[in-house]
Amino acid sequence: MKTLLIGGYGQLGTAIRRCWSDGEIIAPARSDLDIENHESIDSALRAANAELVVNCASFHDVDRCEREPERAFAANAYAVFDLARMCSRYNAAFVTFSTDYVFDGALRRPYREEDAPNPLCAYAASKLAGEALALSANARTYVVRTCGLYGRAERASKASFIDRILESARRGEEIVIEDGIVASPTFVGHLAAALQPLLASGQYGLYHAVNREPVSWLEFAAEAMRQSGIPAAPRPGPPRAHIAPRPSYSALESARLSTLGVTLPEWREGIRAYLAL
Ligand SMILES: NC(=O)c1ccc[n+]([C@@H]2O[C@H](COP(=O)([O-])OP(=O)(O)OC[C@H]3O[C@@H](n4cnc5c(N)ncnc54)[C@H](OP(=O)(O)O)[C@@H]3O)[C@@H](O)[C@H]2O)c1
């Protein structure tokens, strides 16, 4: 299997390159393939002649998306539509990623694929639009919603949430985490591994793929500190001020994946695997 991997040096892209040992992966730099540039998509797809295109690129600075919704829709919706259409033209299956933020959090239990989305911010609306456009443009599309990704990107613009809190804690700073925000933080290595049986299934469509069991970011931080041997715990903090509204509950359940017999490990295993990297 020949795969064209876009955004291959970010968190998830790096994990995919490390985890998928079968087949050939072509991972152009952003300077060689910009998903917002139609000509660059066309020439990369034509040159690669890949059977599978995996798009890990996204504009996912949530507050910037709120200030620049046109840019959010350009990268997360129209560019994804263009990619899906071009994959159809070049006879490639297509994988793209979406977000837990498509939900408003009102349900207060892990969201399944059939639950109704209700995006609260421009980022989430742009990703939801990208999902629908991709699925409509190419029948051989997998849209994978995931949540709270962490991993070691080969070309990282900033440290992961875990690294930031561990570095602060080791400097003796008090760790304060907004209380009551529940999600499904997911280790990219586990997600990359789960994608392989999904892609082998040929069962296209919308999937949730996250580490198992919901957890608050406060509890997640406490566990990361505990597993790192830091003899302190984070303190619950007040709501943080954001430009873009976010759901306070956005845990996902990987319901459709489990019908294929694919399960991701529980969230504590994600921390363990990340710390062992
Ligand atoms: N991170 C999360 O917590 C999270 C949660 C839910 C869903 N997701 C989704 O999961 C996917 C992967 O996320 P990630 O955390 O791996 O992202 P990431 O670490 O930010 O990596 C994204 C990569 O895409 C590249 N890129 C951005 N815009 C591009 C463009 N226009 N053309 C080509 N390449 C471009 C980036 O390059 P530069 O570094 O040069 O910009 C970067 O290498 C995204 O679809 C994201 O929305 C992420």
Side-chain angles (χ1 to χ4, degrees):
M1 167 85 87
K2 192 172 180 189
T3 300
L4 177 67
L5 177 63
I6 307 170
Y9 302 91
Q11 298 190 97
L12 179 57
T14 299
I16 288 173
R17 283 188 297 108
R18 290 188 179 146
C19 170
W20 293 8
S21 46
D22 297 345
E24 182 188 355
I25 297 182
I26 303 165
R30 183 176 179 165
S31 50
D32 294 321
L33 172 45
D34 180 341
I35 60 166
E36 293 182 59
N37 179 326
H38 176 78
E39 296 310 320
S40 114
I41 295 175
D42 191 18
S43 59
L45 260 68
R46 193 167 347 104
N49 192 25
E51 296 151 87
L52 175 68
V53 173
V54 178
N55 173 38
C56 297
S58 179
F59 178 37
H60 60 92
D61 179 327
V62 179
D63 286 333
R64 272 188 68 193
C65 285
E66 201 68 10
R67 285 195 302 262
E68 304 171 48
E70 297 82 3
R71 267 203 69 196
F73 275 83
N76 298 332
Y78 304 127
V80 174
F81 182 48
D82 202 13
L83 276 171
R85 272 192 319 170
M86 297 305 280
C87 287
S88 190
R89 178 175 306 169
Y90 287 106
N91 203 24
F94 181 54
V95 185
T96 195
F97 297 90
S98 187
T99 172
D100 52 311
Y101 278 12
V102 299
F103 297 110
D104 61 14
L107 214 51
R108 312 303 292 181
R109 60 121 174 99
Y111 284 88
R112 296 191 279 266
E113 290 85 349
E114 67 270 21
D115 291 322
N118 182 28
L120 301 177
C121 62
Y123 165 69
S126 69
K127 294 293 277 188
L128 184 62
E131 292 180 1
L133 289 168
L135 290 166
S136 71
N138 185 344
R140 294 173 60 219
T141 292
Y142 300 92
V143 170
V144 180
R145 287 185 189 141
T146 187
C147 174
L149 292 183
Y150 59 98
R152 295 206 194 283
E154 188 168 317
R155 298 177 195 161
S157 49
K158 62 174 192 175
S160 72
F161 172 75
I162 293 186
D163 285 353
R164 287 200 305 276
I165 57 163
L166 294 183
E167 280 161 23
S168 301
R170 285 185 182 122
R171 284 196 300 266
E173 293 167 14
E174 185 184 34
I175 306 300
V176 182
I177 308 283
E178 180 176 357
D179 199 11
I181 309 296
V182 176
S184 297
T186 296
F187 172 54
V188 288
H190 290 161
L191 175 55
L195 291 171
Q196 290 189 293
L198 170 61
L199 302 182
S201 75
Q203 303 287 313
Y204 303 102
L206 174 67
Y207 289 86
H208 291 177
V210 291
N211 276 127
R212 268 187 298 112
E213 302 302 328
V215 60
S216 73
W217 285 106
L218 179 65
E219 202 184 340
F220 182 81
E223 177 68 13
M225 290 167 71
R226 195 190 63 72
Q227 287 192 23
S228 305
I230 293 172
R235 181 169 68 76
R240 284 176 55 195
H242 292 296
I243 296 168
R246 292 141 156 89
S248 61
Y249 189 106
S250 62
L252 302 179
E253 180 182 339
S254 311
R256 284 196 184 138
L257 263 186
S258 51
T259 66
L260 299 177
V262 182
T263 51
L264 278 79
E266 192 251 3
W267 62 268
R268 289 181 189 82
E269 292 304 315
I271 297 176
R272 207 159 282 130
Y274 175 76
L275 293 176
L277 284 176

